[in-house]
Structures are given as structure tokens and as C-alpha cells.
Amino acid sequence: MHGGAQLRFDGMPRRLLQAAPSRLVTYLDCPRRYRFSYLDRPAPQKGPPWAHNSFGAAVHTALANWWKLPLQQRTVARAGGLLDDAWLLDGYRDHTQREAARSRARDMVERYVGDLDPTDEPIGVERTVALKTDHAALFGRVDRIDDRGSEGLVIVDYKTGRHVLTVDDARTSLALAVYAAGAERTLRRHCRRVELHHLPTGDVVAWEHTDEGLTRHIGRADSIAAEVAELDERFKAGVDAAEADRMYPPQVSSLCGWCDFNRCCGEGSAVAGPRHPWAGLDEP
Ligand code: SF4
């Protein structure tokens, strides 16, 4: 635990919580996991890397790098080569599983790119956007921001997992809402539409936020940030272990088996032990 928090006097402006949406969502999912991830230093030891994260990161890198190529080089074959270049080795059971996954990822990237118009230049690729609320300086890196002319800017988020997406995933996503509001603020263009592009199936699920809906999401992000900032301030001022546990209680659920800190969380591991690092792969 840390000491040395600065005193704050009445009237002194409160420091904004610097947060990507993932920080706020981690807190909502499990306050203890939030504490392990963002506050405890040294951080508790994480479990081994996940194969599905390696898989997803390689696909994201390949797609980002494809858009960075000169126009005439944006071909399907080049996309497959970029996937090979970006391939990450961590988390797989063995060479056979890793190579089968690489082949699926290459097919996935090539199929996706085959349906793109390479001249349809995005306005942003892995672009950082940001906005401030009363209690937070929110930021995020967006996979892709499209310029759809009179429709405005569109947030595109790539998904590579096996979870079948629904419109509700796009509608309720705090991250996508923050990206939309952040893109509008950063790029000074209207942005209400958010899209999840599910690469394994080619499905696109989209949601068009209303002004009110987007305002609600940002208000929610702000109130979570306010709660987190207050807790973090107390934590950094110094609390004992029992108090820290009360402030950031474990939120036990079936997700505990996927938690990086499962091995150092008695409550979580009692409910769902750690899974194999390759358990999240979408294998045929
Ligand atoms: S194992 Fe479960 S309860 Fe423990 S930190 Fe992780 S998500 Fe929270």
C-alpha cells in the first residue's frame, strides 16, 4: 500500500481520474481485481498469458498495419503476410495448436480484408481519443474510426472471440460510448454510430446512440470514476489490509476462472479454478 497522498484543501481542484474505459469496467466487474491491477505495487503475480489474447492482438496488429500500407499494397495476400509478421507465440498448448490457430487467424484476416475497399481511408486507425468529465479524464485507443460522410464518424471495434455478438453488446458497451464521445470531442465531428465487427463470422452489429443515450453512458462513466477516485485516494493515503479488502471486495463469479489473478485470490479460485491458457481459443 502507498502513503504520501497529497492533502487537498477546500476549493482546491480535485485531480481527475485518468482512465481508459477498461479501468472502470474492471472495477464494476470485480473491485478486488481492480485493486490488484491498478493499485497494489508490486502487483500480485498474474497467471500465464492467454492464447486468445495473443490471437486477438496479432489480428488487431495485422489489420492496423494493413491500413498503414501504401494504397497499392493493400491486398488480401499482404494482409496474410502481416498476420504472420504479427503472430505471437504465448499461451498455446503446443506447436500444433499454435499453427492451427495461426492458419485460422490468417484466413480470418484475409476474408475480412477481402470485403474492404482499400481506397476507403479511415480517419483513424488505433487512434487515441479523449474527453473530460467532472471526475475523469477518459481516453481510449479505437481500432478504427470511419468517416461515413453525412452519417458522421463511426467507431469500429474488432472482435475475435467466440462469443456471438448481439446489438445489445454494442448498445450497452461503456467503452464504445466513451470512444464515440471521445472521437467527437477529439476530431470535432459528429459521432453516434458504433460497430462491433466479429471477424470469425463476418457479422457486424451496430448501434446508433442518441444524444440522450450517449449522455447517459458518459454520466455513468463519470459517476463510476467519482466513486473509484474517492476510494483510490483513501487507499493511497494508507489503509490496512482488512480495510483494503472491505473497500475493494471480491466479486466472485464464473468469470473468476478467466481472471489473471485467480491464483492469488482465495475466494475466486475456490469458486472457479484457473483455466488452461488456451481454453479461450475458438477451436473447431
Ligand atoms: S478471481 Fe474472481 S474474485 Fe478474485 S480477483 Fe479475480 S475476478 Fe475478483
Side-chain angles (χ1 to χ4, degrees), residues 29-34 36 249-253 255-257 259-269 272:
D29 284 350
C30 176
R32 175 179 284 178
R33 180 147 61 93
Y34 171 85
F36 285 166
Q251 183 74 47
V252 171
S253 75
L255 294 178
C256 290
C259 176
D260 282 334
F261 300 106
N262 183 290
R263 289 163 182 79
C264 49
C265 175
E267 289 88 339
S269 57

Short mmCIF file of all heavy atoms in Angstrom, two decimals, residues 29-34 36 249-253 255-257 259-269 272, ligand 1:
data_model
loop_
_atom_site.label_atom_id
_atom_site.label_comp_id
_atom_site.label_asym_id
_atom_site.label_seq_id
_atom_site.Cartn_x
_atom_site.Cartn_y
_atom_site.Cartn_z
N ASP A 29 -16.69 -5.00 -12.64
CA ASP A 29 -16.68 -6.47 -12.68
C ASP A 29 -16.23 -7.05 -11.34
O ASP A 29 -16.80 -8.00 -10.83
CB ASP A 29 -15.75 -6.98 -13.77
CG ASP A 29 -16.35 -6.83 -15.16
OD1 ASP A 29 -17.55 -6.52 -15.25
OD2 ASP A 29 -15.61 -7.00 -16.14
N CYS A 30 -15.15 -6.50 -10.80
CA CYS A 30 -14.62 -7.02 -9.54
C CYS A 30 -13.67 -5.98 -8.93
O CYS A 30 -12.56 -5.78 -9.43
CB CYS A 30 -13.88 -8.34 -9.76
SG CYS A 30 -13.11 -8.93 -8.22
N PRO A 31 -14.09 -5.35 -7.83
CA PRO A 31 -13.24 -4.33 -7.20
C PRO A 31 -11.87 -4.88 -6.76
O PRO A 31 -10.87 -4.18 -6.83
CB PRO A 31 -14.07 -3.87 -6.00
CG PRO A 31 -15.49 -4.11 -6.42
CD PRO A 31 -15.44 -5.38 -7.23
N ARG A 32 -11.84 -6.15 -6.34
CA ARG A 32 -10.54 -6.70 -5.94
C ARG A 32 -9.60 -6.80 -7.15
O ARG A 32 -8.42 -6.48 -7.05
CB ARG A 32 -10.69 -8.07 -5.28
CG ARG A 32 -9.33 -8.69 -4.97
CD ARG A 32 -9.43 -10.03 -4.30
NE ARG A 32 -9.80 -9.87 -2.90
CZ ARG A 32 -10.00 -10.90 -2.08
NH1 ARG A 32 -9.89 -12.15 -2.54
NH2 ARG A 32 -10.30 -10.71 -0.81
N ARG A 33 -10.14 -7.27 -8.25
CA ARG A 33 -9.30 -7.36 -9.45
C ARG A 33 -8.81 -5.97 -9.87
O ARG A 33 -7.68 -5.81 -10.31
CB ARG A 33 -10.08 -8.02 -10.61
CG ARG A 33 -9.27 -8.14 -11.89
CD ARG A 33 -9.65 -9.37 -12.67
NE ARG A 33 -11.03 -9.38 -13.09
CZ ARG A 33 -11.46 -8.92 -14.27
NH1 ARG A 33 -10.61 -8.39 -15.12
NH2 ARG A 33 -12.73 -9.00 -14.58
N TYR A 34 -9.66 -4.98 -9.69
CA TYR A 34 -9.27 -3.60 -9.97
C TYR A 34 -8.08 -3.21 -9.09
O TYR A 34 -7.09 -2.65 -9.57
CB TYR A 34 -10.46 -2.66 -9.70
CG TYR A 34 -10.08 -1.22 -9.74
CD1 TYR A 34 -10.04 -0.52 -10.95
CD2 TYR A 34 -9.71 -0.55 -8.57
CE1 TYR A 34 -9.64 0.79 -10.99
CE2 TYR A 34 -9.31 0.77 -8.61
CZ TYR A 34 -9.28 1.44 -9.82
OH TYR A 34 -8.86 2.76 -9.85
N PHE A 36 -5.91 -5.17 -7.58
CA PHE A 36 -4.72 -5.92 -7.99
C PHE A 36 -4.10 -5.31 -9.27
O PHE A 36 -2.89 -5.24 -9.40
CB PHE A 36 -5.08 -7.38 -8.28
CG PHE A 36 -5.33 -8.22 -7.05
CD1 PHE A 36 -5.94 -9.47 -7.16
CD2 PHE A 36 -4.95 -7.79 -5.79
CE1 PHE A 36 -6.16 -10.27 -6.04
CE2 PHE A 36 -5.17 -8.57 -4.66
CZ PHE A 36 -5.78 -9.81 -4.79
N PRO A 249 -13.94 -5.31 -2.42
CA PRO A 249 -14.30 -6.70 -2.14
C PRO A 249 -14.22 -7.57 -3.40
O PRO A 249 -14.39 -7.08 -4.52
CB PRO A 249 -15.75 -6.59 -1.66
CG PRO A 249 -16.26 -5.35 -2.30
CD PRO A 249 -15.10 -4.40 -2.42
N PRO A 250 -13.99 -8.87 -3.21
CA PRO A 250 -14.01 -9.78 -4.37
C PRO A 250 -15.43 -9.91 -4.91
O PRO A 250 -16.39 -9.99 -4.14
CB PRO A 250 -13.52 -11.10 -3.78
CG PRO A 250 -13.80 -11.02 -2.32
CD PRO A 250 -13.73 -9.57 -1.94
N GLN A 251 -15.56 -9.92 -6.19
CA GLN A 251 -16.87 -10.14 -6.84
C GLN A 251 -16.78 -11.51 -7.51
O GLN A 251 -16.34 -11.62 -8.66
CB GLN A 251 -17.11 -9.03 -7.87
CG GLN A 251 -18.44 -9.09 -8.57
CD GLN A 251 -19.59 -8.65 -7.68
OE1 GLN A 251 -19.48 -7.64 -7.01
NE2 GLN A 251 -20.64 -9.42 -7.65
N VAL A 252 -17.16 -12.51 -6.76
CA VAL A 252 -16.96 -13.88 -7.24
C VAL A 252 -18.02 -14.23 -8.28
O VAL A 252 -19.20 -13.95 -8.09
CB VAL A 252 -17.02 -14.84 -6.04
CG1 VAL A 252 -17.04 -16.27 -6.49
CG2 VAL A 252 -15.84 -14.59 -5.11
N SER A 253 -17.56 -14.83 -9.37
CA SER A 253 -18.50 -15.25 -10.42
C SER A 253 -17.81 -16.31 -11.27
O SER A 253 -16.63 -16.64 -11.06
CB SER A 253 -18.89 -14.06 -11.31
OG SER A 253 -17.82 -13.74 -12.18
N LEU A 255 -16.68 -15.86 -13.99
CA LEU A 255 -15.57 -15.20 -14.70
C LEU A 255 -14.24 -15.37 -13.97
O LEU A 255 -13.18 -15.11 -14.53
CB LEU A 255 -15.85 -13.71 -14.87
CG LEU A 255 -17.03 -13.35 -15.77
CD1 LEU A 255 -17.23 -11.83 -15.82
CD2 LEU A 255 -16.79 -13.88 -17.19
N CYS A 256 -14.31 -15.80 -12.69
CA CYS A 256 -13.07 -15.92 -11.91
C CYS A 256 -12.08 -16.89 -12.57
O CYS A 256 -10.87 -16.72 -12.43
CB CYS A 256 -13.38 -16.39 -10.48
SG CYS A 256 -14.21 -15.12 -9.50
N GLY A 257 -12.60 -17.89 -13.29
CA GLY A 257 -11.71 -18.84 -13.96
C GLY A 257 -10.87 -18.17 -15.04
O GLY A 257 -9.84 -18.70 -15.45
N CYS A 259 -9.77 -14.98 -14.67
CA CYS A 259 -9.10 -13.83 -14.06
C CYS A 259 -7.59 -14.06 -13.98
O CYS A 259 -7.15 -15.12 -13.54
CB CYS A 259 -9.68 -13.60 -12.66
SG CYS A 259 -8.86 -12.28 -11.77
N ASP A 260 -6.83 -13.04 -14.37
CA ASP A 260 -5.37 -13.13 -14.32
C ASP A 260 -4.87 -13.36 -12.89
O ASP A 260 -3.74 -13.82 -12.70
CB ASP A 260 -4.74 -11.84 -14.86
CG ASP A 260 -4.78 -11.78 -16.37
OD1 ASP A 260 -4.80 -12.84 -17.01
OD2 ASP A 260 -4.80 -10.66 -16.91
N PHE A 261 -5.67 -12.97 -11.90
CA PHE A 261 -5.21 -13.05 -10.51
C PHE A 261 -5.85 -14.21 -9.76
O PHE A 261 -5.82 -14.25 -8.53
CB PHE A 261 -5.51 -11.72 -9.80
CG PHE A 261 -4.82 -10.56 -10.46
CD1 PHE A 261 -5.54 -9.64 -11.22
CD2 PHE A 261 -3.45 -10.38 -10.34
CE1 PHE A 261 -4.91 -8.58 -11.85
CE2 PHE A 261 -2.80 -9.31 -10.97
CZ PHE A 261 -3.53 -8.42 -11.71
N ASN A 262 -6.43 -15.13 -10.50
CA ASN A 262 -7.11 -16.27 -9.88
C ASN A 262 -6.22 -16.97 -8.84
O ASN A 262 -6.68 -17.32 -7.75
CB ASN A 262 -7.54 -17.25 -10.98
CG ASN A 262 -8.32 -18.42 -10.45
OD1 ASN A 262 -7.76 -19.27 -9.78
ND2 ASN A 262 -9.62 -18.46 -10.73
N ARG A 263 -4.95 -17.14 -9.20
CA ARG A 263 -4.05 -17.92 -8.33
C ARG A 263 -3.75 -17.23 -7.00
O ARG A 263 -3.29 -17.86 -6.06
CB ARG A 263 -2.75 -18.22 -9.08
CG ARG A 263 -2.94 -19.25 -10.19
CD ARG A 263 -1.77 -19.24 -11.16
NE ARG A 263 -1.98 -20.20 -12.26
CZ ARG A 263 -2.75 -19.97 -13.32
NH1 ARG A 263 -3.41 -18.82 -13.42
NH2 ARG A 263 -2.88 -20.86 -14.28
N CYS A 264 -3.96 -15.92 -6.93
CA CYS A 264 -3.69 -15.25 -5.65
C CYS A 264 -4.98 -14.71 -5.03
O CYS A 264 -4.94 -13.80 -4.21
CB CYS A 264 -2.64 -14.16 -5.83
SG CYS A 264 -2.92 -13.05 -7.18
N CYS A 265 -6.10 -15.28 -5.40
CA CYS A 265 -7.38 -14.84 -4.85
C CYS A 265 -8.10 -16.08 -4.32
O CYS A 265 -8.64 -16.87 -5.10
CB CYS A 265 -8.22 -14.15 -5.91
SG CYS A 265 -9.87 -13.71 -5.34
N GLY A 266 -8.08 -16.24 -2.98
CA GLY A 266 -8.68 -17.42 -2.37
C GLY A 266 -10.15 -17.57 -2.73
O GLY A 266 -10.60 -18.65 -3.13
N GLU A 267 -10.92 -16.50 -2.59
CA GLU A 267 -12.36 -16.58 -2.83
C GLU A 267 -12.66 -16.96 -4.28
O GLU A 267 -13.53 -17.79 -4.56
CB GLU A 267 -13.04 -15.24 -2.52
CG GLU A 267 -13.11 -14.89 -1.06
CD GLU A 267 -11.87 -14.13 -0.59
OE1 GLU A 267 -10.81 -14.24 -1.26
OE2 GLU A 267 -11.95 -13.47 0.44
N GLY A 268 -11.95 -16.32 -5.21
CA GLY A 268 -12.21 -16.57 -6.63
C GLY A 268 -11.81 -17.98 -7.04
O GLY A 268 -12.57 -18.68 -7.73
N SER A 269 -10.62 -18.41 -6.60
CA SER A 269 -10.16 -19.73 -7.03
C SER A 269 -10.97 -20.85 -6.39
O SER A 269 -11.05 -21.96 -6.92
CB SER A 269 -8.66 -19.90 -6.75
OG SER A 269 -8.41 -19.70 -5.39
N ALA A 272 -13.98 -20.97 -8.96
CA ALA A 272 -13.61 -21.42 -10.31
C ALA A 272 -12.09 -21.37 -10.41
O ALA A 272 -11.50 -20.29 -10.36
CB ALA A 272 -14.23 -20.50 -11.36
S1 SF4 B 1 -10.57 -14.40 -9.01
FE1 SF4 B 1 -12.63 -13.51 -9.12
S2 SF4 B 1 -12.97 -12.54 -7.11
FE2 SF4 B 1 -10.76 -12.90 -7.33
S3 SF4 B 1 -9.91 -11.03 -8.17
FE3 SF4 B 1 -10.34 -12.35 -9.88
S4 SF4 B 1 -12.41 -11.81 -10.57
FE4 SF4 B 1 -12.14 -10.98 -8.49
#
